[in-house]
Amino acid sequence: MSQTERTETMVLVGCGAEKQNSPTPARDLYTSSYFQKKREYAETVGDSWAILSALYGSLAPQSRTRPYDVTISDYPLDVDERDRAEYATVEEWAESILEGVENRVHNLDRWDDRDPLGRIVILAGQKYVEPLREGLDALADEHGFEVVYPFDDTSGIGDQIGWLTEGIEAAEDRDTGVSAGSEVDTGDVEADRGAIPNEDANATENSGPAQADLGGFANRDSGA
C-alpha cells in the first residue's frame, strides 16, 4: 500500500443500556447522549461504521432492531436468554465480529470502487474491547491495517466525550477546507447495499435484526 493511497476508516461503536421501547433502526435504538456522540463521531470521521451489540454481535446501523436487556457482563447466557441471542458465550460473540472484520477486508479488496481498509477505531468500553483485542490486532498484522483504541487513554465518559468532540470538530474543519466552505452532512447514512443482508424490516419480538457481517457497514459516502 503506497503512502498516498486512500484507505477506509471503519468505526465500531459500542451499544448502550438506554433504548427505545419498540423496534427501530439500530442507529436510533440507543438513546443516551453518550451513544449519540459516538454515533456522530462515526458518521463524521468514519467512512463506514457498525454497532457492537451485546445480544446480536455486529449490527448495521440501518438494521431494524428490537430493544433488549443483555450486556457483555451477562455472558455466558442462561437458557431463556440464549433463545433470544445469537451467541451463548462471549467467545462466540467475539469470533463473529472478527470474522466480519475479515469479510470486510476481503470485500473491499474485491470492490473496484472502494478503498482498502486502513484503520479501525473502536469506541467501546473495556468489557467489549478485551474479547476482541487480540484477534483484531492479529488481523491488523495480517492484512496491514491499524486498530485504534482511543478510550484506553481516557479516564471516564466525560473524558471520552471530550475526545470525541475534538475528533468531530477536526474532521469537520478538514472537510470544510476540502469542500471550500460547504456544509458537512452528518445526517443519516446510506446503506452499503453491496454486502449487507436483508434489513429485516418486519422485526418482531420473536425475530432478531439483520446481522452485519461488517461487509454491511453503512458508508458515509456511498451512493451504491
Side-chain angles (χ1 to χ4, degrees), residues 67-202:
Y68 59 91
D69 187 22
V70 172
T71 72
I72 286 295
S73 298
D74 294 325
Y75 284 98
L77 301 181
D78 62 27
V79 174
D80 291 339
E81 291 171 327
R82 183 68 184 97
D83 287 342
R84 299 176 54 232
E86 295 293 322
Y87 318 103
T89 67
V90 72
E91 290 79 14
E92 290 180 6
W93 175 88
E95 183 61 28
S96 75
I97 293 166
L98 295 173
E99 289 177 359
V101 169
E102 191 156 28
N103 285 345
R104 182 66 175 181
V105 172
H106 294 315
N107 285 343
L108 291 172
D109 287 344
R110 289 201 308 268
W111 296 333
D112 292 336
D113 61 342
R114 297 289 189 219
D115 301 313
L117 180 62
R119 186 170 179 247
I120 297 178
V121 181
I122 313 295
L123 304 180
Q126 292 303 309
K127 289 183 179 179
Y128 288 75
V129 169
E130 288 310 317
L132 299 171
R133 190 187 297 268
E134 182 177 353
L136 283 174
D137 290 346
L139 287 174
D141 288 343
E142 179 180 355
H143 295 287
F145 60 83
E146 177 187 17
V147 184
V148 182
Y149 306 95
F151 291 174
D152 282 0
D153 300 321
T154 59
S155 58
I157 289 178
D159 200 11
Q160 292 167 11
I161 289 175
W163 183 91
L164 293 166
T165 300
E166 289 180 4
I168 291 165
E169 291 174 351
E172 289 178 337
D173 287 344
R174 285 195 300 271
D175 286 351
T176 299
V178 168
S179 60
S182 62
E183 291 187 4
V184 177
D185 181 4
T186 59
D188 287 350
V189 289
E190 293 187 42
D192 178 353
R193 298 177 181 85
I196 195 167
N198 292 332
E199 280 193 23
D200 187 21
N202 298 314

